[in-house]
Amino acid sequence: MQVHLRPRLLAAAAFLSGCTTVADIGCDHGRLSAALLQRALAKRVLASDISEDSLKKAQILAERCGFSADQLSFFVSDGLSHLSPGDADALVFAGMGGELIAKLLELGESAAKSAKRIVMQPMGGTRELRRYLYETGYAIKDETMVLDAGRYYQVILASPSFSRSADMPSDAILEFGPILFERRDPLLHEALTRCVAGRRHRMRKAEKNGVIPPQLAHELSGAEALLAEFDQEEQQ
């Protein structure tokens, strides 16, 4: 049985190429875990989920794919609690919120800081996640953005860093990605355009109600500034 991945998971898998042991945290039904082995992107996967029911479905998929227990192992676990330092040279968090990913990295710091690379595909909370990475000694090595079923997703590759932490970027850069913006990624431009339109619509509704949320105004201003810089360079 060949496992097919949605674009957001394909992007995460691409950042894991060449790993020896990947810990798939919150593996859900195990499709990413299985695909990593089928595509020879990793030699071994440690798949975990807090839900025993989800893990049973992942085990059924592994059996259908013919993986041995040495190739794909399963753990009912909350975050990184099943891992000791050195158990995995890569971690992947896909399909959960950025704030939750940050919390799990904090709670499992010893295992996280021993990994060579950490791949994250947050469903939201990108600003909070990147802020945590900057504040706690991780280096953002690469980023990508994909369009999947009409929604834009960011995928972040980070690793523990033992050098001086970089200066904290603006909230807007934390939300949309320093590397994505530096590259002027075309998909980021699309995402920014959609985001600005949505926030302007919410702002107009708030103004009609006579109450402007300060956070919305701040987030709209930041996104508009990035989009304006993007558009200005395109016109030059």
Side-chain angles (χ1 to χ4, degrees):
M1 174 186 175
Q2 187 67 27
V3 176
H4 298 282
L5 296 178
R6 292 179 56 175
R8 64 182 179 86
L9 294 182
L10 274 173
F15 279 152
L16 292 163
S17 178
C19 293
T20 300
T21 302
V22 175
D24 184 359
I25 310 301
C27 69
D28 195 33
H29 296 180
R31 298 184 67 83
L32 177 58
S33 296
L36 290 173
L37 293 170
Q38 285 186 338
R39 291 166 167 77
L41 299 176
K43 295 180 179 178
R44 186 178 181 223
V45 177
L46 310 176
S48 65
D49 202 283
I50 196 171
S51 167
E52 189 171 355
D53 288 340
S54 291
L55 212 58
K56 286 178 181 177
K57 294 176 182 178
Q59 289 173 311
I60 291 171
L61 177 61
E63 291 172 4
R64 292 176 64 187
C65 292
F67 297 127
S68 69
D70 288 337
Q71 291 175 293
L72 184 49
S73 304
F74 296 93
F75 305 85
V76 177
S77 172
D78 186 1
L80 309 182
S81 60
H82 62 296
L83 295 177
S84 297
D87 282 351
D89 59 316
L91 312 177
V92 58
F93 300 83
M96 62 182 77
E99 290 170 293
L100 177 56
I101 295 173
K103 179 182 177 181
L104 296 181
L105 288 172
E106 181 179 14
L107 292 174
E109 182 178 14
S110 59
K113 287 292 180 75
S114 72
K116 294 180 181 178
R117 68 179 98 170
I118 301 171
V119 176
M120 295 153 281
Q121 181 270 296
M123 302 300 281
T126 51
R127 179 175 58 245
E128 293 78 10
L129 176 56
R130 286 194 181 91
R131 180 178 291 116
Y132 173 81
L133 295 174
Y134 274 94
E135 289 177 342
T136 54
Y138 290 92
I140 297 176
K141 297 295 189 180
D142 204 353
E143 299 172 329
T144 191
M145 179 172 278
V146 296
L147 182 61
D148 186 343
R151 179 174 173 181
Y152 295 97
Y153 295 92
Q154 299 179 38
V155 184
I156 303 167
L157 170 64
S159 65
S161 174
F162 301 99
S163 60
R164 186 184 71 83
S165 297
D167 293 335
M168 186 69 69
S170 68
D171 280 358
I173 289 293
L174 288 174
E175 181 178 4
F176 293 100
I179 296 176
L180 287 169
F181 186 69
E182 183 180 353
R183 286 181 185 152
R184 301 302 191 262
D185 188 290
L187 275 182
L188 176 58
H189 186 271
E190 294 177 16
L192 277 167
T193 301
R194 181 186 294 186
C195 175
V196 166
R199 288 177 181 174
R200 284 175 176 169
H201 177 70
R202 290 166 55 198
M203 182 64 76
R204 286 192 294 269
K205 290 180 64 177
E207 289 171 344
K208 286 182 180 180
N209 294 329
V211 179
I212 299 177
Q215 186 62 31
L216 175 58
H218 175 69
E219 291 173 355
L220 172 57
S221 175
E224 285 178 329
L226 294 187
L227 184 58
E229 188 171 340
F230 231 126
D231 289 340
Q232 184 178 14
E233 291 185 0
E234 286 187 351
Q235 294 169 5
Q236 291 176 351

